[in-house]
Amino acid sequence: MNDLDFLRTPEGRALLDEVRDTDPAQELAVATRLRRTHPAPLVSAALGQARLRQRAVAKFGAADAGRMFFTPNGVEQSTRASVAAYRAERLHGLGVRSVADLCCGIGGDAIALARAGIRVLAVDRDPLTCEAARANADALGLADLIEVREADVTEVGTAPYDAVFVDPARRGGRGRIFDPEAYSPPLSWAVAAARTAARAAALKVAPGIPHEAVPADAEAEWISDGGDVKEAVLWFGAGAAPGAVRATLLPGPRTLPGTGLPDPEARTPGRYLYEPDGAVVRAHLVAEVAAQVGGGLLDATIAYVTADELRPTPYATAYEITDRMPFNVKKLKALLRERGVGTLTVKKRGSAVEPEELRKKVRPQGPNAATVFLTRVAGAPTMLIGHPAR
């Protein structure tokens, strides 16, 4: 029996409940105690699963993570639930009622699709991963909508389904894979599968995908959640605008479409600095944000926008700039001491200085807070000091 077989028995479920909130620092003591009354492999499996569930809370929320079953790779590679739900709702809105979910992993996307009322064929070639996906569909009451199949996705027929969703593996033995053709399966295969979809298709890719790697007949969407860029999606078929780009921010959703604006001009720093959301930057839509706020770039090579007026936009965070100076640690330290700054946020674009190293050198102390931007202005290393605009 594998770990999941153990953990799905009545004894295993009871043990999972018992170790659910175990502090990692107490694992050895807890394991020693439980092995007096339970088989050692079952205790180890339960503690390992409890650890994975704790890690999974950030992606799936406490309620779902506490019932689901994970593998180490499954936690690492699965889609955040909020992002999967957004994508599932978009597919549902396109009239999709059945999806072939290829490279399904532990079933995170299949769960979101099923909750949107979509019937799912979830396919993966790894036996343990498929077992976890089945266990999760059952644990969340979605087994009637999710069929899990252990198979090579390149050998699965998708003709009976309205849509195709592909999430190629983007990690190997040496970490992240940046070449789309080194994905498993390769991006070219996934694109070919998408083009055969009856109604629509979505391919999940790394947010760093080069724009030139996006097929001309796909719409590219970059998605962030809470300010963190999570993924890019290539859309095909119904509802997709070939060649279009967009940035979508969650929660919301708020979507900024590309309008083909040229890069804004660089200008002298104004009173306000706008930090575009990472999805906006990845989608190359900084010009659209600059147009919204009536601003320009701090530097032609840096994705910071500056303006003289405060015009709130959901696609960028605004800061009021109080000081500007060439990069100089001693001068910054003196300024922060004069202002009584003890809480210092360090942001950077176009600077090799590490925020933590700078924070150690200036040793901020005091009751006040400030933000320092390490960047370039007209090519020169510059520090801009300010605070979130009100």
Side-chain angles (χ1 to χ4, degrees):
M1 296 175 69
N2 62 39
D3 287 355
L4 292 183
D5 287 334
F6 272 130
L7 296 175
R8 297 178 73 189
T9 65
E11 182 183 8
R13 291 181 183 277
L15 193 54
L16 275 173
D17 289 340
E18 188 171 350
V19 303
R20 178 179 53 202
D21 299 319
T22 299
D23 186 325
Q26 300 299 317
E27 274 194 11
L28 181 57
V30 171
T32 300
R33 174 175 57 81
L34 292 175
R35 283 170 181 162
R36 296 170 188 153
T37 53
H38 299 279
L42 181 54
V43 172
S44 296
L47 286 168
Q49 191 61 221
R51 197 181 313 121
L52 293 174
R53 285 179 169 182
Q54 290 169 5
R55 287 173 53 195
V57 168
K59 285 189 174 183
F60 291 93
D64 281 354
R67 292 185 290 165
M68 293 173 67
F69 295 88
F70 299 97
T71 65
N73 285 340
V75 173
E76 185 71 27
Q77 298 177 17
S78 57
T79 305
R80 183 179 289 259
S82 55
V83 179
Y86 161 74
R87 194 189 311 105
E89 288 299 331
R90 181 171 174 179
L91 285 168
H92 187 271
L94 295 173
V96 170
R97 296 299 178 265
S98 61
V99 171
D101 176 4
L102 309 180
C103 309
C104 69
I106 55 93
D109 286 287
I111 289 165
L113 290 164
R115 283 176 167 167
I118 298 172
R119 181 171 55 86
V120 185
L121 170 66
V123 184
D124 203 283
R125 66 183 179 184
D126 180 69
L128 182 58
T129 299
C130 287
E131 184 63 22
R134 291 189 189 95
N136 290 333
D138 182 61
L140 299 180
L142 299 169
D144 289 345
L145 284 171
I146 300 174
E147 174 194 348
V148 179
R149 184 182 302 174
E150 180 188 332
D152 185 327
V153 296
T154 64
E155 299 175 358
V156 173
T158 60
Y161 299 87
D162 296 338
V164 171
F165 173 67
V166 189
D167 182 5
R170 294 179 299 283
R171 286 182 181 271
R174 298 183 178 180
R176 292 182 181 179
I177 296 172
F178 297 99
D179 177 8
E181 282 307 296
Y183 292 173
S184 181
L187 180 61
S188 56
W189 180 88
V191 169
R195 288 171 175 156
T196 66
R199 185 164 186 80
L203 310 183
K204 177 180 171 182
V205 295
I209 185 173
H211 279 233
E212 56 269 22
V214 176
D217 57 337
E219 174 188 303
E221 178 180 32
W222 280 262
I223 303 174
S224 69
D225 186 17
D228 295 328
V229 184
K230 294 303 178 185
E231 64 181 56
V233 184
L234 306 184
W235 294 90
F236 295 81
V245 296
R246 64 165 69 189
T248 295
L249 282 55
L250 303 176
R254 296 182 177 91
T255 295
L256 178 67
T259 56
L261 291 177
D263 292 338
E265 297 289 332
R267 50 155 290 179
T268 57
R271 182 177 177 182
Y272 296 96
L273 180 150
Y274 293 84
E275 181 184 26
D277 183 272
V280 171
V281 176
R282 293 284 194 178
H284 296 180
L285 300 180
V286 174
E288 278 72 7
V289 168
Q292 286 187 358
V293 302
L297 297 179
L298 278 176
D299 184 276
T301 62
I302 304 295
Y304 282 141
V305 174
T306 185
D308 298 316
E309 299 179 3
L310 178 61
R311 299 182 186 176
T313 170
Y315 303 109
T317 303
Y319 295 84
E320 185 173 6
I321 300 303
T322 57
D323 299 271
R324 169 191 172 189
M325 62 180 70
F327 181 80
N328 187 298
V329 175
K330 289 184 178 179
K331 288 185 178 180
L332 177 62
K333 184 176 180 179
L335 177 66
L336 297 176
R337 185 186 304 116
E338 177 186 329
R339 303 279 172 82
V341 173
T343 303
L344 181 66
T345 301
V346 182
K347 293 177 173 288
K348 70 166 193 170
R349 280 182 182 166
S351 172
V353 178
E354 292 300 325
E356 281 307 314
E357 288 300 316
L358 179 66
R359 197 176 285 107
K360 289 177 183 178
K361 290 179 179 179
V362 300
R363 291 180 291 180
Q365 294 180 350
N368 299 319
T371 299
V372 59
F373 293 88
L374 307 178
T375 186
R376 294 195 300 269
V377 174
T382 302
M383 298 185 298
L384 300 174
I385 299 92
H387 53 77
R390 301 175 180 84

